[in-house]
Amino acid sequence: ERFAWDGDSDNPKTLRWQSRETESDRTNFTAARVSAKGYPLTFRLYVDDLLKMTKTVDNKRPFRLPSGFTSRDWTVEVEGTAEIEAVFFADTMDELW
């Protein structure tokens, strides 16, 4: 039996997930990585409630984040058609492997 939320596997619905605002020591993370069951997906970074970056993520490799500021308040939004497993932040690209 199918239910309305099962969707159509040939035309998956887009999902959007947004984190809570994360408070940290005043910092500027330099890299991020998104682990998902499929790609591409759209990654958005909000700092102090302002959109700082929008990026199409095509794979699980780490990517650089914008620089030139520090903040305590970070929010992430990820949008795509596959399950999103985790979003990671780090001070270096090497920390994400």
Side-chain angles (χ1 to χ4, degrees):
E1 181 175 339
R2 287 183 57 96
F3 295 95
W5 57 84
D6 284 344
D8 177 354
S9 60
D10 293 329
N11 298 301
K13 294 190 184 243
T14 300
L15 64 90
R16 184 174 61 192
W17 175 81
Q18 186 172 22
S19 71
R20 294 182 304 186
E21 186 172 79
T22 303
E23 286 192 23
S24 65
D25 292 335
R26 185 166 283 282
T27 189
N28 181 299
F29 294 109
T30 61
R33 181 171 71 86
V34 180
S35 177
K37 298 259 180 167
Y39 300 91
L41 54 86
T42 302
F43 172 91
R44 293 182 188 92
L45 174 66
Y46 295 88
V47 179
D48 297 327
D49 293 325
L50 298 172
L51 179 63
K52 284 286 190 181
M53 175 185 194
T54 300
K55 176 176 181 54
T56 299
V57 178
D58 293 318
N59 53 51
K60 66 179 183 176
R61 290 193 312 250
F63 53 91
R64 298 228 177 257
L65 297 175
S67 62
F69 65 91
T70 61
S71 178
R72 295 178 45 131
D73 302 319
W74 297 72
T75 304
V76 172
E77 184 177 87
V78 183
E79 187 174 335
T81 57
E83 181 181 343
I84 297 150
E85 298 170 322
V87 178
F88 303 96
F89 289 94
D91 292 323
T92 69
M93 298 282 276
D94 289 340
E95 290 178 77
L96 293 170
W97 289 113

